[in-house]
Amino acid sequence: MDTKDCIRGRRSIRRYTGQSITRETLEQIVALAAYAPSWKNTQVARYTLVTDRALIEKLANECVLGFTHNTAILLNCNVLAVQSIVVKHSGYERDGSFSTAMGTHWESFDAGISAQTFCLAAHELGVGTCILGVFDAKKVAEAVNLPSTQAASCLIAMGYPAENPAAPARKSAGELIRFIGG
């Protein structure tokens, strides 16, 4: 699949078949996600891949702030990727001060770039994903035993697609772009 087809074809998949994702495929996805750019090449994104059904059910039932839509997605997924970031590296100088006025924004920016790269890599390998943002980060960190140097940034439900949703309408380039100058 070429880059344009991968970008145009990737969708948020919320229903999955029961087919297992091999460890080799999961490792390939993470290896590709490692190529995501980051602030000063800090490479702060980390992935905890949860295949334990009991833990996925606990996260679905106790960590999504009562958002039943996310509960249903998690209960149906084959693997749950808990994306975390190493805190206080992206956007910071070596002395601990911020590099820009954007503060901790760069941690989230780098997490987003990495999450999208992860999802595109999964799509390339036939695995569907859905990035979930409604969750209790502290409860998730406790449930998956994240190191104190990391913070949960998003949940990514994964599985082989049991659906093929159509692309939602997109704004035209003309609606999204401004030119200044010649």
Side-chain angles (χ1 to χ4, degrees), residues 48 50 55 58-59 63 82-85 135-155:
T48 300
V50 181
L55 183 52
K58 175 181 175 149
L59 291 162
C63 298
V82 176
Q83 186 201 51
S84 57
I85 51 143
F135 64 95
D136 184 317
K138 288 184 181 181
K139 283 186 177 181
V140 168
E142 287 175 11
V144 300
N145 198 27
L146 283 183
S148 62
T149 57
Q150 295 179 31
S153 52
C154 74
L155 305 178

Side-chain angles (χ1 to χ4, degrees), residues 7-74:
I7 292 168
R8 289 181 183 136
R10 192 254 165 208
R11 302 279 175 276
S12 291
I13 302 298
R14 295 172 176 88
R15 290 189 337 211
Y16 311 97
T17 69
Q19 181 182 352
S20 297
I21 305 170
T22 66
R23 187 170 284 231
E24 177 185 28
T25 299
L26 294 169
E27 288 173 355
Q28 287 177 346
I29 292 167
V30 173
L32 288 167
Y35 282 89
S38 61
W39 176 273
K40 294 185 178 181
N41 197 33
T42 50
Q43 301 179 48
V44 294
R46 301 292 186 270
Y47 295 92
T48 300
L49 302 178
V50 181
T51 57
D52 179 280
R53 288 308 313 162
L55 183 52
I56 291 173
E57 289 175 14
K58 175 181 175 149
L59 291 162
N61 291 313
E62 298 177 18
C63 298
V64 295
L65 304 170
F67 189 51
T68 57
H69 188 62
N70 282 2
T71 299
I73 294 167
L74 292 178

